Amino acid sequence: MVRRSSRRGGAAVRPAGLAAAVLLLLLLAAGGPRTADAVHVLADDAGAGGRAAAAAAASAGANTSVALFSLYIVRLSGDPVAAYEGGVPGLAATAAADGGRLRARSAAAAAYAGHLEAGAAAAAAAAGVPRGRVLHTFQYALNGFTVADPSPDELARLAATPGVVSISRDRRVFAATITTPRWLGLAGAGRDGAGGAWDSVSPRGAARAGEGQVIGVIDTGFTPEAPSFSDRRGFSPSGRIAFAPLSAAVFAGSCDAGEDSAASTCKCARARVPAPAQGGRRCRARAWRPVAHAPARCRRSRKVVGCKFFNAGLGGARGVRKQEPNEVISCRDVGGHGTHTASTAAGNYGPAYKFGAVSGMAPRARLSIYKTLWGGSGSLADVVAGVDAAVADGVDVINYSVAGSDTPTYSFREVVMAAFMQAARAGVFVSAAAGNSGPDPATVDNPGPWLTTVAAASHNRRIVASVTLRSTAPGGEASTLTGAGFQTVGAGPAPLVAARAAGAPGAALIDVARCFEGTLDPAKVRGAIVVCDRGLSQRVEKSAEVKRAGGVGMVLVNVDATGDFASLNLDDHPVPTVHLPAEHRAALAAAAAAPGATAEIGAARVDETALAPQMADISGRGPCVAGGGAVLKPDLAAPGVEVIAAFAPAAGSGPYTSLTGTSMATPHVAGLAALLRQKYPTWSPMAVKSALMTTAYQTTRTGTPGLAFGDAFDYGAGHVDAMRMFTPGLVFDSKYSDWQRFLCGAERAVGDRCGACSRDPDACKPHNLNTPSIALPRLTPGTPLVVRRTVTAVGASPASFTASVQLDGDAATHLRVSVDPPTFTLAPGQTQALAITVEALPRAPLNVYMHGAITWAGDAGTTTRVPLVAQASAASP
């Protein structure tokens, strides 16, 4: 239930008593205030954590979702700073012009933000909510506040308070590259990666790629000491400064000091500093502002130019410590997820690790960290607070490698989707994970058309290792098995021992087989290579147990042939390790039981000829649940399988590790968006999104080139192409007013500003939102539907464009598609309105999606492709 003011920023309309009662009943329908569901980490059971660790914790009785209090998000009627266009006497408009950037630090923005903050305090007071239980206030990407532990009476009073338009229960959200720059075509063979697509923004390759851009990362924090985040030449603390100061006019964020802050972004002198709420030190862009108990000296990093942490939604420091005892109350990353995503997006170019140089996609971009996840999950309210802060700070791009749960977000109006809409309104590009609930249909998350939703695909690099098995049995022949490995040196020949035959006295056989901590007998393992079953403990913990017992190597074998635990993973093990699929389990058991069994593990080697890309099974798939499939999601795919990037040593792995998930794909797109914004600083977030989508590709590049690797529900427009994204020819742009009309047509709510729909009903039809994709979930057979689009020419000179239609499979028989005009000529900056007529023929199958695409070929050599999905239905569109 939503009710808004009839004028922006003005006094709100009081909800009717019945509406307030209905809202309260909806809030209490699930049994009153309570926290959300359990966690789901959007990465595989990586060596340093993940689902296996969570399962082990659960089986051991660990409480992974301690509920210290309930929390509700209250949204108010006035526009946030990002969208305010005037209307309050004495307060100037703050919203940027269409396609422009929000001036978040202007006097007008500060004045209006103060007005909203006062309004939130007044609303809480009017409902009798004590000030101490208002934990967050939002002004920039959302207008509202949160309330802890509201009673039913307080909820009723809030629902009846003037200006309150919605109240929703907080919920938990969960965290969802050595050669990927080269695979994407960014890095060339020259110095600093010159010779690739980085040259499109700078003739010096990585040396200037991303310069002037700030990427905000909403995640688990970062590891300050990682070379990927150094602001020094040679990545050494004693090296010369490698970055110029960032002007406060470009970015005006700040840095929160906290625990373990001696090595944090603030680089403060003391080893530990009380959190800011208790008296610490806050480092601002223009100056240092000392407060109580501040250390004497502090120097701000020029690479990571801001870091803030948010934990009020979990009960503050006390709540975090109760739920996640290993966490530290600061921006420091404990689990590694945020370090990995931040370094993938904008880590420095050049740190060496094992098989090559590591680099982010936009290596000269700066980073601002917003730690909202603790132990891999967090409060939605804290996430919104992070988005609000990122918009206020002035980031150019937001990376959001987070999803709601095992089920997708069902509404475009969900609170974080609303916050991201305002972020895009402020000129911020948002890259968000498609979620890891695939491969089933309708599992894609983060559905907002104002953000870019990223699926995960493989890339051409595999790092493989082999183990050779021998025995002294008569007629026995050596056999070699190949799997995943990450070591630069091998092990053996050495005796081969099955873990289940080498258990310590009293250890349970199932635990011994999985090489649980303390289960192996050193007398039976010393000097041997041990076969361990995967499952129920972290993979690197198994190899650590082998090492503890004196083993020299491990063969890790999957138990499951399908599902989440059938993958082969690259982990930084303490002993040389080969990870093999379940199909080899029986052969390994037989080999270990043979007389005189030995094994030899080889050093890992790089293979760059894998069939790629291929879609990751776990990647969330379309069709989009929100709006009944009104938009096509995901938008595109990027590398998300075995991505090597910086990690948190506290998580139990090395300084770099390999992870798989849509969380890993998302920062690739965030970094690429930063490059596009560097080259085209006046482009809107939707123009950037369009360039990424319309230049994507849909067939394999290596292994066997030219094979289809999915359809639009797997990858949206296709796999991102960093070489072609700089020359899209045409872009499909949209703005805030377009998104408002889209909401009126897709999910109209009480109080929506939908006057434009009466004047032009077609403008509010969801399929007419000017996106670089077309989704038509309800075509009436035999009735043509006209889809509106408008393109803008972005080339350097006038060009002509000709449309062609491609229909796949059943679509070729049962769909008719035409484009008017079929050919047109545009000068740079000119626009062309298009009418695309789509008709499901009378014999078209019902409720079955058909796929196709429309491509505009430019005479300057550009191609602009838009995917199309449509299904015939008895219901009208």
Side-chain angles (χ1 to χ4, degrees), residues 740-741 743-745 748-749 752-759 764:
Q740 289 183 307
R741 287 192 291 268
L743 287 175
C744 289
R748 183 173 297 204
D752 274 355
R753 300 162 188 161
C754 298
C757 302
S758 351
R759 298 187 296 272
C764 295

Side-chain angles (χ1 to χ4, degrees), residues 140-503:
Y140 286 83
L142 206 72
N143 177 21
F145 58 96
T146 64
V147 178
D149 287 329
S151 67
D153 286 345
E154 287 172 332
L155 286 172
R157 290 196 297 271
L158 280 168
T161 297
V164 172
V165 297
S166 71
I167 305 174
S168 58
R169 189 170 56 238
D170 187 34
R171 61 184 178 87
R172 293 292 282 267
V173 292
F174 316 100
T177 68
I178 278 175
T179 57
T180 51
R182 188 163 65 250
W183 160 246
L184 290 173
L186 291 171
R191 181 179 178 182
D192 287 336
W198 277 329
D199 291 357
S200 296
V201 294
S202 165
R204 295 176 56 190
R208 289 291 180 267
E211 193 70 66
Q213 302 295 303
V214 180
I215 300 176
V217 180
I218 296 174
D219 215 297
T220 63
F222 80 116
T223 301
E225 306 82 11
S228 293
F229 306 129
S230 173
D231 64 353
R232 302 283 180 141
R233 295 185 186 277
F235 320 118
S236 167
S238 60
R240 294 177 59 190
I241 297 290
F243 290 81
L246 195 62
S247 166
V250 175
F251 179 78
S254 61
C255 172
D256 290 344
E259 294 177 353
D260 285 346
S261 61
S264 75
T265 302
C266 283
K267 303 199 182 294
C268 297
R270 292 184 183 176
R272 286 183 177 269
V273 180
Q278 301 167 325
R281 184 168 185 140
R282 172 159 286 186
C283 147
R284 294 196 178 277
R286 294 184 179 88
W288 288 99
R289 181 172 62 87
V291 293
H293 310 299
R297 293 177 292 109
C298 212
R299 182 187 73 78
R300 180 181 183 135
S301 167
R302 293 182 182 176
K303 174 66 176 179
V304 181
V305 293
C307 75
K308 296 178 179 178
F309 57 90
F310 304 85
N311 55 25
L314 298 182
R318 174 179 171 268
V320 170
R321 290 190 178 103
K322 188 173 181 66
Q323 298 176 70
E324 301 293 343
N326 293 326
E327 273 287 0
V328 293
I329 310 303
S330 71
C331 294
R332 178 172 292 280
D333 185 11
V334 172
H337 190 271
T339 297
H340 200 279
T341 57
S343 62
T344 300
N348 289 324
Y349 176 86
Y353 185 65
K354 289 192 175 182
F355 302 100
V358 177
S359 177
M361 302 304 107
R364 288 291 294 189
R366 318 300 175 93
L367 288 159
S368 187
I369 305 300
Y370 303 89
K371 183 175 179 179
T372 63
L373 306 184
W374 305 80
S377 71
S379 157
L380 187 65
D382 287 337
V383 168
V384 174
V387 175
D388 204 62
V391 173
D393 290 343
V395 303
D396 301 284
V397 174
I398 288 176
N399 185 78
Y400 187 63
S401 292
V402 181
S405 64
D406 284 324
T407 57
T409 301
Y410 287 103
S411 174
F412 299 116
R413 296 181 179 275
E414 193 249 10
V415 64
V416 76
M417 291 299 102
F420 281 139
M421 183 172 77
Q422 299 299 346
R425 173 70 174 89
V428 180
F429 178 93
V430 180
S431 180
N436 286 3
S437 298
D440 292 337
T443 51
V444 65
D445 210 332
N446 292 315
W450 39 82
L451 51 78
T452 301
T453 307
V454 187
S458 67
H459 54 107
N460 66 325
R461 189 260 298 135
R462 293 183 304 173
I463 299 178
V464 297
S466 300
V467 57
T468 299
L469 310 175
R470 298 181 176 88
S471 75
T472 59
E477 295 184 0
S479 61
T480 299
L481 307 177
T482 299
F486 206 45
Q487 62 274 356
T488 55
V489 296
L496 179 66
V497 175
R500 62 178 59 248

Side-chain angles (χ1 to χ4, degrees), residues 658-688:
S658 168
L659 294 179
T660 291
T662 55
S663 284
M664 285 65 253
T666 304
H668 282 83
V669 170
L672 295 178
L675 297 178
L676 278 166
R677 304 210 78 170
Q678 178 187 6
K679 185 172 179 65
Y680 303 112
T682 62
W683 280 16
S684 73
M686 296 302 97
V688 172

Side-chain angles (χ1 to χ4, degrees), residues 384-728:
V384 174
V387 175
D388 204 62
V391 173
D393 290 343
V395 303
D396 301 284
V397 174
I398 288 176
N399 185 78
Y400 187 63
S401 292
V402 181
S405 64
D406 284 324
T407 57
T409 301
Y410 287 103
S411 174
F412 299 116
R413 296 181 179 275
E414 193 249 10
V415 64
V416 76
M417 291 299 102
F420 281 139
M421 183 172 77
Q422 299 299 346
R425 173 70 174 89
V428 180
F429 178 93
V430 180
S431 180
N436 286 3
S437 298
D440 292 337
T443 51
V444 65
D445 210 332
N446 292 315
W450 39 82
L451 51 78
T452 301
T453 307
V454 187
S458 67
H459 54 107
N460 66 325
R461 189 260 298 135
R462 293 183 304 173
I463 299 178
V464 297
S466 300
V467 57
T468 299
L469 310 175
R470 298 181 176 88
S471 75
T472 59
E477 295 184 0
S479 61
T480 299
L481 307 177
T482 299
F486 206 45
Q487 62 274 356
T488 55
V489 296
L496 179 66
V497 175
R500 62 178 59 248
L509 182 60
I510 190 170
D511 295 343
V512 172
R514 291 189 170 104
C515 298
F516 282 8
E517 182 180 0
T519 61
L520 297 180
D521 186 348
K524 301 174 182 176
V525 169
R526 189 171 292 110
I529 292 173
V530 183
V531 180
C532 299
D533 284 346
R534 182 179 182 175
L536 295 184
S537 67
Q538 295 179 36
R539 297 186 298 269
V540 294
E541 290 179 350
K542 299 175 188 294
S543 52
E545 171 61 10
V546 171
K547 182 176 181 179
R548 181 204 65 81
V552 298
M554 179 178 76
V555 179
L556 178 64
V557 60
N558 289 344
V559 175
D560 299 330
T562 60
D564 289 345
F565 301 111
S567 60
L568 300 182
N569 300 86
L570 298 176
D571 298 315
D572 205 356
H573 290 279
V575 294
T577 297
V578 177
H579 187 175
L580 297 174
E583 64 191 69
H584 295 316
R585 193 162 175 246
L588 283 167
T598 63
E600 182 175 4
I601 294 175
R605 61 190 185 278
V606 177
D607 174 11
E608 294 189 353
T609 63
L611 179 65
Q614 297 289 291
M615 295 306 302
D617 281 349
I618 59 174
S619 188
R621 263 58 170 193
C624 179
V625 174
V631 295
L632 176 62
K633 290 286 178 173
D635 291 307
L636 47 77
V641 177
E642 294 184 0
V643 175
I644 297 172
F647 206 56
S653 186
Y656 299 91
T657 200
S658 168
L659 294 179
T660 291
T662 55
S663 284
M664 285 65 253
T666 304
H668 282 83
V669 170
L672 295 178
L675 297 178
L676 278 166
R677 304 210 78 170
Q678 178 187 6
K679 185 172 179 65
Y680 303 112
T682 62
W683 280 16
S684 73
M686 296 302 97
V688 172
K689 173 181 177 177
S690 178
L692 289 164
M693 289 180 64
T694 60
T695 56
Y697 61 88
Q698 302 80 38
T699 57
T700 55
R701 291 290 180 88
T702 58
T704 305
L707 300 178
F709 60 89
D711 62 32
F713 289 142
D714 298 317
Y715 51 55
H719 191 286
V720 66
D721 189 332
M723 296 291 288
R724 294 182 58 239
M725 69 181 188
F726 294 107
T727 54

Side-chain angles (χ1 to χ4, degrees), residues 839-865:
E839 180 184 359
L841 300 180
R843 294 183 178 274
L846 299 181
N847 304 318
V848 176
Y849 271 102
M850 296 171 281
H851 295 254
I854 304 169
T855 302
W856 285 266
D859 59 8
T862 63
T863 55
T864 308
R865 180 185 181 275

